[in-house]
Amino acid sequence: MKETGYWTWFIISGLITFFILGLHMLIVHLDGMLGIFSHADGGAVVWENVIQRSRSQFFSIAYIILLGAALYHGFYGLRTILLELGIGKQAQQRLTKFLWLTGILLFLVGTYVSLAVRTMEAPIL
Amino acid sequence: METENQQKRNIIFHIRRFDPELDEVPRWQKFTVSVEPGMTVLDGLHHIKETQDASLSWRYSCRMGVCGSCAMLINGIPTLACNTQIMDVTSQKLTLAALPNFDIIRDLVPDLTPMFRDHVSIQPYIQRDDNKEMENPTREFFQTHDELEEYLQFTYCIKCGCCAAACPTMAADRKYMGPMPLAQAYRYNKDSRDGGQKDRNDVITASHGVFSCHYAGECSNVCPKGVDPARAIQHMKKDLVLGYLRLRKDKKPCQVVGIPTGESKPAIAAPEHTVK
């Protein structure tokens, strides 16, 4: 049951990553044509535009969800590869715990950065 | 007579030999066999054993692609020796080896014990609560044609081990359950008469189980009986995910109906192959 849960969330996180990363790619590569998300001149990757997106509620939430989904998806894949090495049951449990803790830690760091940008008073130039 | 001789051809058999008492690692040995049209790889092996080397070992039984004993790696492809005509696969050289992804007992004899152990672990039989009816049946179980078709193709599996030998996941992860036991788990899970799905799912969802399949699909490509284990595994993953998300109801085993009349029923055609 535990593995079924892991696999189900692996699929769900893959779908989430596909759509939010798709949106991210759309903004970075096509916003020159679309011009929806980049208000300052110079394209989507100009610092002012990056900060502006990061401060919007929609993008903050979207990037935090993307971070969680990408971390889960990536770490599940890494776990699958490592389990194929034929390690023992106890080592498998330790590995799973280690990857969970690392993932959660990275998620907290990323979330902090994402939220910290929102509270900055002036753009950093 | 002359035409027969013209059709004959000398084929070199490169056979991977291994004697655990003498060899540390497998070695290759060449045999030349005069092959005529219609000769199978199994016939060629018999010819070598009778005329050139009596110590050559392989496993076989039915000679007609039913028992699955003579599965081996023929020119790099896991298949049945009794079902493969030599001239269909080569005009000069034939390479034979024991099935990969298994330990070798001797020469072309793989040790299929791990595969059968996993097969036993998935409880490959119909399980029901009404043991009395199971042991002393008084009536028939109700099963529609559609319900039968859901698992029929998977009943054709002869447990030869070709799927496991072709599986890249098995090559990387020797603890992986493998396509045959997983496909058989699906076969019984889908059987409307069965109620053992929960116990079976507990086994197949453990690590090195159904979720370790990377869907290379080679198991289905090499199956000599046209079974499609990759399809079974993917369907099983889908069923498990839907069950986890509570989007699918648990299956209830069908009830017994009617008293058998002894009358024959219309035959059901074999399902179309899902692998071309």
Side-chain angles (χ1 to χ4, degrees), chain A residues 3-4 7 83-84 86-87 92, chain B residues 172 175 205 207-208 211 214:
Chain A
E3 291 293 328
T4 308
W7 171 264
L83 289 191
E84 283 186 6
I87 56 177
Q92 279 181 31
Chain B
K175 289 184 182 172
T205 56
S207 56
H208 308 286
F211 298 116
H214 300 323

Side-chain angles (χ1 to χ4, degrees), chain B residues 176-177 182 204-206 208-213 233 236-237 240:
Chain B
Y176 173 49
M177 200 172 251
L182 290 173
I204 60 166
T205 56
H208 308 286
V210 65
F211 298 116
S212 292
C213 169
I233 294 170
M236 203 146 55
K237 282 181 183 173
L240 286 163

Side-chain angles (χ1 to χ4, degrees), chain A residues 12 25 28 35-36 44-45 63 88 94 111-112 114 122:
Chain A
I12 293 170
M25 301 295 270
V28 172
I36 302 168
V45 289
Y63 283 143
R94 279 186 198 147
T111 306
Y112 170 75
S114 182

